[in-house]
Amino acid sequence: MPIVHVYMWSEVSRKAKAKIIKGITKVFEELGIPPHAVEVVIQEVPKENWGVEGEQASEKLKEAKPP
Amino acid sequence: MPIVHVYMWSEVSRKAKAKIIKGITKVFEELGIPPHAVEVVIQEVPKENWGVEGEQASEKLKEAKPP
Amino acid sequence: MPIVHVYMWSEVSRKAKAKIIKGITKVFEELGIPPHAVEVVIQEVPKENWGVEGEQASEKLKEAKPP
Amino acid sequence: MPIVHVYMWSEVSRKAKAKIIKGITKVFEELGIPPHAVEVVIQEVPKENWGVEGEQASEKLKEAKPP
Amino acid sequence: MPIVHVYMWSEVSRKAKAKIIKGITKVFEELGIPPHAVEVVIQEVPKENWGVEGEQASEKLKEAKPP
Amino acid sequence: MPIVHVYMWSEVSRKAKAKIIKGITKVFEELGIPPHAVEVVIQEVPKENWGVEGEQASEKLKEAKPP
């Protein structure tokens, strides 16, 4: 405990993934939870599968990219 | 708010995805929620990863296809 | 298939829940999926557990209510 | 985007929730994502519903508490 | 790894929860995964929040109960 | 009911998937739930997307493999 599921658009860089995992784990460490107890799972989802305001992000947010 | 996670078999058509996103967003609009507040995330899962009645859908429902 | 998980703030009215379930199921019916194949699970989450822009919705969106 | 679902044992303090939401949002801000795009949902789960090593956390980790 | 999220109707008995946790953990043990690596999280959801065939389970399946 | 979401590292063998689905379904059968009511969804996640102790499993657990 805790388990953290992160949902983002596909093609997050390897470096950003490392920072997300490290950063989120640290948030819990600062609350007194040992890092080995924290599991972070990043789920990458294609922009055409992600709906924003009733539209696919691949249409609505054409230029936007994940970190 | 709300966040909606949809789990379906892989290879949903682009058109069906657009309809799912639009349709679900509209369900909430009709309840007075502004569409920009609705996020829909479609997760496609291979049929061999989907268990129905104790069997893989790729075996049990060989002919069935997502929309 | 499909499975739909909906996350909303707590205290959604019984009537709104019925409309969400009916409405989402219909979205898939219109794509040719039989209604008995659609499962919808609404998860109600207290506003103090929901973060928006780095703050608890119970603070940031004090007046806002679920349908 | 992103959506973050956090699963923890029940009875997380209000203060800890605020820190989790703020901290996780900041992790993404540091990657260039605007804070209004980050949604964090904390799901509290009773210890008797949480299995660790095949046992309920309410039995196996009797003394442990969430932050 | 693995993480297992189980969604069921509310009011699962304490005994059934223990069996679910033990049983699922064992499924992975038999595949060579050490039990301390398996986390099982049971999420109980009120029947009125669960949609089956477009209706609330609290209406459609009035008599049915979780184990 | 129930719905079971299993998260594992990518490249689980077809055979292991079949055993997971069969085994988990059986756990619920033994509690009196008919197998057709059990849905199991296995989500495979690349090791570089899975954080353990603040690090990517692809780094920290280089040799480890899913079943």
Side-chain angles (χ1 to χ4, degrees):
Chain A
M1 195 231 43
I3 294 167
V4 182
H5 290 278
V6 179
Y7 296 84
M8 303 180 73
W9 297 336
S10 291
E11 303 199 28
V12 179
S13 74
R14 194 181 183 90
K15 214 172 149 177
K17 288 176 190 172
K19 284 188 183 170
I20 290 164
I21 287 168
K22 196 175 176 179
I24 290 179
T25 304
K26 214 177 150 193
V27 169
F28 291 101
E29 262 191 275
E30 281 165 7
L31 290 167
I33 294 172
H36 72 256
V38 184
E39 266 184 297
V40 180
V41 181
I42 302 169
Q43 206 95 30
E44 294 177 273
V45 179
K47 281 173 70 181
E48 75 167 47
N49 288 27
W50 196 294
V52 185
E53 238 181 300
E55 266 184 80
Q56 288 166 293
S58 51
E59 295 304 313
K60 188 162 186 67
L61 301 166
K62 261 192 180 129
E63 307 306 317
K65 284 186 181 170
Chain B
M1 196 231 44
I3 294 167
V4 182
H5 291 277
V6 179
Y7 296 83
M8 303 179 73
W9 297 336
S10 291
E11 303 198 29
V12 179
S13 74
R14 194 183 184 90
K15 213 172 150 180
K17 289 176 190 171
K19 284 188 183 170
I20 291 164
I21 288 168
K22 198 174 175 179
I24 291 180
T25 304
K26 214 177 150 195
V27 169
F28 291 100
E29 262 191 276
E30 281 165 8
L31 291 167
I33 294 172
H36 72 257
V38 184
E39 267 185 295
V40 180
V41 181
I42 302 169
Q43 206 95 32
E44 293 176 274
V45 179
K47 280 174 70 180
E48 75 167 47
N49 288 27
W50 196 296
V52 184
E53 237 182 301
E55 265 185 80
Q56 287 165 294
S58 51
E59 295 303 313
K60 189 164 186 63
L61 302 165
K62 263 193 180 127
E63 308 307 318
K65 283 186 183 172
Chain C
M1 196 231 42
I3 295 167
V4 183
H5 290 278
V6 178
Y7 296 83
M8 303 180 73
W9 297 336
S10 292
E11 303 197 31
V12 179
S13 73
R14 194 181 183 90
K15 213 173 149 178
K17 288 176 191 172
K19 284 188 184 172
I20 290 164
I21 287 167
K22 197 175 175 178
I24 291 180
T25 304
K26 214 177 151 194
V27 169
F28 291 100
E29 263 192 276
E30 282 166 8
L31 291 166
I33 294 173
H36 72 256
V38 184
E39 264 184 299
V40 179
V41 181
I42 302 171
Q43 205 94 31
E44 293 177 274
V45 179
K47 280 175 70 180
E48 75 168 49
N49 288 27
W50 195 295
V52 184
E53 237 182 301
E55 265 185 80
Q56 287 166 293
S58 51
E59 295 302 314
K60 188 163 187 66
L61 302 166
K62 264 193 178 125
E63 308 307 317
K65 283 186 181 170
Chain D
M1 196 229 46
I3 294 167
V4 182
H5 291 278
V6 178
Y7 296 84
M8 303 180 72
W9 297 336
S10 290
E11 301 198 32
V12 178
S13 74
R14 195 180 183 90
K15 214 173 148 178
K17 288 177 190 171
K19 283 188 184 171
I20 290 164
I21 287 168
K22 196 175 175 179
I24 291 179
T25 305
K26 215 178 150 193
V27 169
F28 291 100
E29 262 191 274
E30 282 165 8
L31 291 167
I33 294 171
H36 72 257
V38 184
E39 266 184 296
V40 180
V41 180
I42 301 170
Q43 206 94 32
E44 294 177 272
V45 179
K47 281 174 71 181
E48 74 168 47
N49 288 27
W50 195 295
V52 184
E53 238 182 301
E55 266 185 80
Q56 286 166 295
S58 51
E59 295 303 313
K60 187 162 186 68
L61 301 165
K62 261 191 181 129
E63 308 307 317
K65 283 186 182 171
Chain E
M1 195 228 47
I3 295 167
V4 182
H5 290 278
V6 178
Y7 296 84
M8 302 179 74
W9 296 338
S10 291
E11 303 197 30
V12 178
S13 74
R14 194 181 184 89
K15 213 173 149 180
K17 288 177 190 172
K19 285 188 184 171
I20 290 165
I21 288 169
K22 197 175 175 178
I24 291 181
T25 304
K26 214 178 150 194
V27 169
F28 291 100
E29 262 191 276
E30 282 166 6
L31 291 166
I33 294 172
H36 72 258
V38 184
E39 267 184 297
V40 180
V41 181
I42 302 169
Q43 205 94 33
E44 292 176 275
V45 179
K47 280 174 71 180
E48 75 168 48
N49 288 27
W50 195 296
V52 184
E53 236 181 302
E55 265 186 82
Q56 287 165 293
S58 51
E59 296 303 314
K60 190 165 186 65
L61 302 165
K62 262 193 180 126
E63 307 307 318
K65 283 188 182 171
Chain F
M1 195 232 42
I3 295 168
V4 182
H5 291 278
V6 178
Y7 296 83
M8 303 180 73
W9 297 337
S10 291
E11 302 196 32
V12 179
S13 74
R14 194 180 184 89
K15 214 172 148 179
K17 289 177 190 171
K19 285 187 183 172
I20 291 164
I21 288 167
K22 197 175 175 178
I24 291 180
T25 305
K26 214 177 151 194
V27 169
F28 291 100
E29 263 191 275
E30 282 166 8
L31 292 166
I33 295 172
H36 72 257
V38 184
E39 265 184 298
V40 180
V41 181
I42 302 170
Q43 206 94 32
E44 293 177 274
V45 179
K47 281 174 70 179
E48 75 168 48
N49 287 27
W50 195 295
V52 184
E53 238 182 301
E55 266 184 80
Q56 288 164 293
S58 51
E59 295 302 315
K60 188 161 188 66
L61 301 166
K62 264 194 178 127
E63 307 307 318
K65 284 187 180 169

mmCIF file of all heavy atoms in Angstrom, chain B residues 7 43 45 48-56 58-59, chain F residues 14 17-18 21-22 25 35-36 39-44:
data_model
loop_
_atom_site.group_PDB
_atom_site.id
_atom_site.type_symbol
_atom_site.label_atom_id
_atom_site.label_comp_id
_atom_site.label_asym_id
_atom_site.label_seq_id
_atom_site.Cartn_x
_atom_site.Cartn_y
_atom_site.Cartn_z
ATOM 1 N N TYR B 7 -13.571 -0.593 -20.785
ATOM 2 C CA TYR B 7 -12.727 -1.721 -21.163
ATOM 3 C C TYR B 7 -13.424 -2.521 -22.251
ATOM 4 O O TYR B 7 -14.567 -2.951 -22.073
ATOM 5 C CB TYR B 7 -12.440 -2.611 -19.943
ATOM 6 C CG TYR B 7 -11.648 -1.864 -18.912
ATOM 7 C CD1 TYR B 7 -12.279 -1.031 -18.001
ATOM 8 C CD2 TYR B 7 -10.255 -1.927 -18.885
ATOM 9 C CE1 TYR B 7 -11.548 -0.294 -17.079
ATOM 10 C CE2 TYR B 7 -9.513 -1.188 -17.966
ATOM 11 C CZ TYR B 7 -10.170 -0.377 -17.074
ATOM 12 O OH TYR B 7 -9.444 0.364 -16.173
ATOM 13 N N GLN B 43 -9.903 1.584 -22.913
ATOM 14 C CA GLN B 43 -8.763 0.675 -22.782
ATOM 15 C C GLN B 43 -9.073 -0.553 -23.623
ATOM 16 O O GLN B 43 -10.048 -1.263 -23.356
ATOM 17 C CB GLN B 43 -8.642 0.289 -21.303
ATOM 18 C CG GLN B 43 -7.294 -0.100 -20.874
ATOM 19 C CD GLN B 43 -6.520 1.074 -20.274
ATOM 20 O OE1 GLN B 43 -7.105 1.968 -19.655
ATOM 21 N NE2 GLN B 43 -5.229 1.081 -20.458
ATOM 22 N N VAL B 45 -8.273 -4.290 -24.807
ATOM 23 C CA VAL B 45 -7.624 -5.451 -24.202
ATOM 24 C C VAL B 45 -7.746 -6.629 -25.172
ATOM 25 O O VAL B 45 -8.849 -6.934 -25.633
ATOM 26 C CB VAL B 45 -8.331 -5.801 -22.866
ATOM 27 C CG1 VAL B 45 -7.699 -7.016 -22.216
ATOM 28 C CG2 VAL B 45 -8.303 -4.608 -21.912
ATOM 29 N N GLU B 48 -7.452 -12.568 -25.857
ATOM 30 C CA GLU B 48 -6.838 -13.668 -25.082
ATOM 31 C C GLU B 48 -6.556 -13.261 -23.631
ATOM 32 O O GLU B 48 -6.236 -14.089 -22.799
ATOM 33 C CB GLU B 48 -5.584 -14.215 -25.780
ATOM 34 C CG GLU B 48 -4.365 -13.340 -25.680
ATOM 35 C CD GLU B 48 -3.104 -14.104 -26.124
ATOM 36 O OE1 GLU B 48 -3.153 -14.753 -27.180
ATOM 37 O OE2 GLU B 48 -2.083 -14.038 -25.417
ATOM 38 N N ASN B 49 -6.696 -11.958 -23.354
ATOM 39 C CA ASN B 49 -6.522 -11.458 -21.979
ATOM 40 C C ASN B 49 -7.851 -11.297 -21.249
ATOM 41 O O ASN B 49 -7.899 -10.808 -20.139
ATOM 42 C CB ASN B 49 -5.833 -10.085 -22.002
ATOM 43 C CG ASN B 49 -4.382 -10.160 -22.369
ATOM 44 O OD1 ASN B 49 -3.971 -11.080 -23.074
ATOM 45 N ND2 ASN B 49 -3.578 -9.209 -21.908
ATOM 46 N N TRP B 50 -8.920 -11.662 -21.898
ATOM 47 C CA TRP B 50 -10.261 -11.413 -21.355
ATOM 48 C C TRP B 50 -10.932 -12.736 -21.040
ATOM 49 O O TRP B 50 -11.147 -13.542 -21.945
ATOM 50 C CB TRP B 50 -11.082 -10.620 -22.379
ATOM 51 C CG TRP B 50 -12.303 -9.988 -21.810
ATOM 52 C CD1 TRP B 50 -13.391 -10.626 -21.282
ATOM 53 C CD2 TRP B 50 -12.565 -8.593 -21.684
ATOM 54 N NE1 TRP B 50 -14.304 -9.701 -20.847
ATOM 55 C CE2 TRP B 50 -13.829 -8.438 -21.087
ATOM 56 C CE3 TRP B 50 -11.862 -7.438 -22.038
ATOM 57 C CZ2 TRP B 50 -14.397 -7.195 -20.830
ATOM 58 C CZ3 TRP B 50 -12.428 -6.200 -21.781
ATOM 59 C CH2 TRP B 50 -13.680 -6.086 -21.176
ATOM 60 N N GLY B 51 -11.252 -12.935 -19.777
ATOM 61 C CA GLY B 51 -11.829 -14.203 -19.361
ATOM 62 C C GLY B 51 -13.330 -14.137 -19.203
ATOM 63 O O GLY B 51 -13.858 -13.234 -18.557
ATOM 64 N N VAL B 52 -14.005 -15.091 -19.818
ATOM 65 C CA VAL B 52 -15.454 -15.191 -19.725
ATOM 66 C C VAL B 52 -15.786 -16.628 -19.339
ATOM 67 O O VAL B 52 -15.371 -17.559 -20.035
ATOM 68 C CB VAL B 52 -16.100 -14.883 -21.091
ATOM 69 C CG1 VAL B 52 -17.618 -14.887 -20.970
ATOM 70 C CG2 VAL B 52 -15.611 -13.558 -21.640
ATOM 71 N N GLU B 53 -16.464 -16.800 -18.272
ATOM 72 C CA GLU B 53 -16.858 -18.151 -17.835
ATOM 73 C C GLU B 53 -15.641 -19.051 -17.657
ATOM 74 O O GLU B 53 -15.710 -20.245 -17.918
ATOM 75 C CB GLU B 53 -17.824 -18.746 -18.867
ATOM 76 C CG GLU B 53 -19.146 -19.136 -18.209
ATOM 77 C CD GLU B 53 -20.099 -19.770 -19.187
ATOM 78 O OE1 GLU B 53 -20.438 -19.089 -20.187
ATOM 79 O OE2 GLU B 53 -20.512 -20.917 -18.936
ATOM 80 N N GLY B 54 -14.531 -18.446 -17.258
ATOM 81 C CA GLY B 54 -13.352 -19.242 -16.979
ATOM 82 C C GLY B 54 -12.467 -19.542 -18.178
ATOM 83 O O GLY B 54 -11.461 -20.228 -18.058
ATOM 84 N N GLU B 55 -12.861 -18.992 -19.338
ATOM 85 C CA GLU B 55 -12.078 -19.237 -20.552
ATOM 86 C C GLU B 55 -11.685 -17.926 -21.232
ATOM 87 O O GLU B 55 -12.339 -16.910 -21.059
ATOM 88 C CB GLU B 55 -12.927 -20.033 -21.547
ATOM 89 C CG GLU B 55 -12.720 -21.524 -21.481
ATOM 90 C CD GLU B 55 -13.507 -22.190 -22.593
ATOM 91 O OE1 GLU B 55 -13.040 -22.197 -23.740
ATOM 92 O OE2 GLU B 55 -14.621 -22.660 -22.304
ATOM 93 N N GLN B 56 -10.626 -17.997 -22.027
ATOM 94 C CA GLN B 56 -10.250 -16.803 -22.796
ATOM 95 C C GLN B 56 -11.294 -16.510 -23.873
ATOM 96 O O GLN B 56 -11.744 -17.412 -24.572
ATOM 97 C CB GLN B 56 -8.879 -17.042 -23.448
ATOM 98 C CG GLN B 56 -7.732 -17.006 -22.428
ATOM 99 C CD GLN B 56 -6.461 -17.576 -22.977
ATOM 100 O OE1 GLN B 56 -6.400 -18.768 -23.265
ATOM 101 N NE2 GLN B 56 -5.442 -16.757 -23.114
ATOM 102 N N SER B 58 -10.843 -15.298 -26.595
ATOM 103 C CA SER B 58 -10.276 -15.679 -27.901
ATOM 104 C C SER B 58 -10.616 -17.132 -28.246
ATOM 105 O O SER B 58 -10.616 -17.508 -29.419
ATOM 106 C CB SER B 58 -8.760 -15.481 -27.888
ATOM 107 O OG SER B 58 -8.188 -16.115 -26.755
ATOM 108 N N GLU B 59 -10.898 -17.951 -27.232
ATOM 109 C CA GLU B 59 -11.313 -19.337 -27.473
ATOM 110 C C GLU B 59 -12.834 -19.461 -27.458
ATOM 111 O O GLU B 59 -13.422 -20.035 -28.364
ATOM 112 C CB GLU B 59 -10.746 -20.251 -26.365
ATOM 113 C CG GLU B 59 -9.246 -20.340 -26.347
ATOM 114 C CD GLU B 59 -8.702 -20.811 -27.692
ATOM 115 O OE1 GLU B 59 -9.221 -21.796 -28.251
ATOM 116 O OE2 GLU B 59 -7.755 -20.169 -28.208
ATOM 117 N N ARG F 14 0.534 -17.252 -23.135
ATOM 118 C CA ARG F 14 -0.870 -17.605 -23.393
ATOM 119 C C ARG F 14 -1.376 -18.628 -22.373
ATOM 120 O O ARG F 14 -2.498 -18.545 -21.896
ATOM 121 C CB ARG F 14 -0.970 -18.200 -24.809
ATOM 122 C CG ARG F 14 -2.384 -18.284 -25.311
ATOM 123 C CD ARG F 14 -2.461 -18.884 -26.714
ATOM 124 N NE ARG F 14 -3.832 -18.856 -27.179
ATOM 125 C CZ ARG F 14 -4.388 -17.835 -27.835
ATOM 126 N NH1 ARG F 14 -3.667 -16.785 -28.149
ATOM 127 N NH2 ARG F 14 -5.664 -17.871 -28.185
ATOM 128 N N LYS F 17 -1.986 -17.046 -18.986
ATOM 129 C CA LYS F 17 -3.255 -16.292 -19.015
ATOM 130 C C LYS F 17 -4.446 -17.230 -18.820
ATOM 131 O O LYS F 17 -5.367 -16.937 -18.056
ATOM 132 C CB LYS F 17 -3.408 -15.555 -20.349
ATOM 133 C CG LYS F 17 -2.467 -14.372 -20.511
ATOM 134 C CD LYS F 17 -2.612 -13.738 -21.893
ATOM 135 C CE LYS F 17 -1.516 -12.719 -22.138
ATOM 136 N NZ LYS F 17 -1.496 -12.246 -23.547
ATOM 137 N N ALA F 18 -4.422 -18.344 -19.533
ATOM 138 C CA ALA F 18 -5.526 -19.299 -19.413
ATOM 139 C C ALA F 18 -5.658 -19.793 -17.971
ATOM 140 O O ALA F 18 -6.767 -19.904 -17.436
ATOM 141 C CB ALA F 18 -5.312 -20.473 -20.371
ATOM 142 N N ILE F 21 -7.118 -16.994 -15.662
ATOM 143 C CA ILE F 21 -8.558 -16.826 -15.882
ATOM 144 C C ILE F 21 -9.337 -17.987 -15.265
ATOM 145 O O ILE F 21 -10.322 -17.786 -14.545
ATOM 146 C CB ILE F 21 -8.843 -16.704 -17.404
ATOM 147 C CG1 ILE F 21 -8.359 -15.326 -17.899
ATOM 148 C CG2 ILE F 21 -10.304 -16.937 -17.718
ATOM 149 C CD1 ILE F 21 -8.296 -15.178 -19.409
ATOM 150 N N LYS F 22 -8.860 -19.179 -15.523
ATOM 151 C CA LYS F 22 -9.542 -20.369 -15.002
ATOM 152 C C LYS F 22 -9.481 -20.396 -13.471
ATOM 153 O O LYS F 22 -10.487 -20.635 -12.791
ATOM 154 C CB LYS F 22 -8.864 -21.617 -15.571
ATOM 155 C CG LYS F 22 -9.702 -22.858 -15.444
ATOM 156 C CD LYS F 22 -9.045 -24.047 -16.132
ATOM 157 C CE LYS F 22 -9.877 -25.298 -15.867
ATOM 158 N NZ LYS F 22 -9.292 -26.458 -16.559
ATOM 159 N N THR F 25 -11.608 -17.601 -11.768
ATOM 160 C CA THR F 25 -13.034 -17.919 -11.906
ATOM 161 C C THR F 25 -13.436 -18.997 -10.907
ATOM 162 O O THR F 25 -14.499 -18.919 -10.276
ATOM 163 C CB THR F 25 -13.343 -18.362 -13.350
ATOM 164 O OG1 THR F 25 -12.893 -17.329 -14.243
ATOM 165 C CG2 THR F 25 -14.835 -18.591 -13.558
ATOM 166 N N PRO F 35 -19.978 -19.390 -12.944
ATOM 167 C CA PRO F 35 -18.818 -18.927 -13.714
ATOM 168 C C PRO F 35 -19.165 -17.897 -14.797
ATOM 169 O O PRO F 35 -18.349 -17.028 -15.106
ATOM 170 C CB PRO F 35 -18.245 -20.209 -14.334
ATOM 171 C CG PRO F 35 -19.257 -21.277 -14.110
ATOM 172 C CD PRO F 35 -20.125 -20.850 -12.976
ATOM 173 N N HIS F 36 -20.365 -17.952 -15.352
ATOM 174 C CA HIS F 36 -20.685 -16.982 -16.406
ATOM 175 C C HIS F 36 -20.797 -15.560 -15.854
ATOM 176 O O HIS F 36 -20.850 -14.596 -16.599
ATOM 177 C CB HIS F 36 -21.967 -17.369 -17.164
ATOM 178 C CG HIS F 36 -23.218 -17.166 -16.355
ATOM 179 N ND1 HIS F 36 -23.892 -18.206 -15.752
ATOM 180 C CD2 HIS F 36 -23.901 -16.041 -16.012
ATOM 181 C CE1 HIS F 36 -24.934 -17.730 -15.091
ATOM 182 N NE2 HIS F 36 -24.959 -16.424 -15.228
ATOM 183 N N GLU F 39 -16.044 -12.006 -14.763
ATOM 184 C CA GLU F 39 -15.230 -11.491 -15.869
ATOM 185 C C GLU F 39 -13.832 -11.155 -15.351
ATOM 186 O O GLU F 39 -13.679 -10.516 -14.323
ATOM 187 C CB GLU F 39 -15.885 -10.266 -16.515
ATOM 188 C CG GLU F 39 -16.720 -10.661 -17.730
ATOM 189 C CD GLU F 39 -17.320 -9.481 -18.465
ATOM 190 O OE1 GLU F 39 -18.116 -8.753 -17.845
ATOM 191 O OE2 GLU F 39 -17.011 -9.286 -19.635
ATOM 192 N N VAL F 40 -12.833 -11.624 -16.070
ATOM 193 C CA VAL F 40 -11.446 -11.386 -15.683
ATOM 194 C C VAL F 40 -10.751 -10.653 -16.826
ATOM 195 O O VAL F 40 -10.822 -11.090 -17.982
ATOM 196 C CB VAL F 40 -10.714 -12.721 -15.415
ATOM 197 C CG1 VAL F 40 -9.264 -12.467 -15.019
ATOM 198 C CG2 VAL F 40 -11.422 -13.524 -14.332
ATOM 199 N N VAL F 41 -10.124 -9.554 -16.526
ATOM 200 C CA VAL F 41 -9.449 -8.767 -17.558
ATOM 201 C C VAL F 41 -7.985 -8.597 -17.167
ATOM 202 O O VAL F 41 -7.683 -8.007 -16.130
ATOM 203 C CB VAL F 41 -10.110 -7.386 -17.708
ATOM 204 C CG1 VAL F 41 -9.418 -6.586 -18.808
ATOM 205 C CG2 VAL F 41 -11.598 -7.511 -17.989
ATOM 206 N N ILE F 42 -7.101 -9.154 -17.971
ATOM 207 C CA ILE F 42 -5.664 -9.057 -17.684
ATOM 208 C C ILE F 42 -5.060 -7.894 -18.477
ATOM 209 O O ILE F 42 -5.180 -7.828 -19.695
ATOM 210 C CB ILE F 42 -4.934 -10.362 -18.061
ATOM 211 C CG1 ILE F 42 -5.546 -11.544 -17.299
ATOM 212 C CG2 ILE F 42 -3.433 -10.250 -17.781
ATOM 213 C CD1 ILE F 42 -5.063 -12.903 -17.783
ATOM 214 N N GLN F 43 -4.461 -6.996 -17.753
ATOM 215 C CA GLN F 43 -3.852 -5.822 -18.377
ATOM 216 C C GLN F 43 -2.337 -5.999 -18.294
ATOM 217 O O GLN F 43 -1.772 -6.058 -17.203
ATOM 218 C CB GLN F 43 -4.279 -4.596 -17.562
ATOM 219 C CG GLN F 43 -4.287 -3.321 -18.313
ATOM 220 C CD GLN F 43 -5.661 -3.005 -18.893
ATOM 221 O OE1 GLN F 43 -6.682 -3.359 -18.314
ATOM 222 N NE2 GLN F 43 -5.686 -2.356 -20.026
ATOM 223 N N GLU F 44 -1.703 -6.093 -19.429
ATOM 224 C CA GLU F 44 -0.243 -6.232 -19.432
ATOM 225 C C GLU F 44 0.410 -4.854 -19.560
ATOM 226 O O GLU F 44 0.040 -4.059 -20.410
ATOM 227 C CB GLU F 44 0.193 -7.141 -20.576
ATOM 228 C CG GLU F 44 -0.275 -8.580 -20.373
ATOM 229 C CD GLU F 44 0.093 -9.470 -21.540
ATOM 230 O OE1 GLU F 44 -0.694 -9.512 -22.512
ATOM 231 O OE2 GLU F 44 1.144 -10.105 -21.492
#
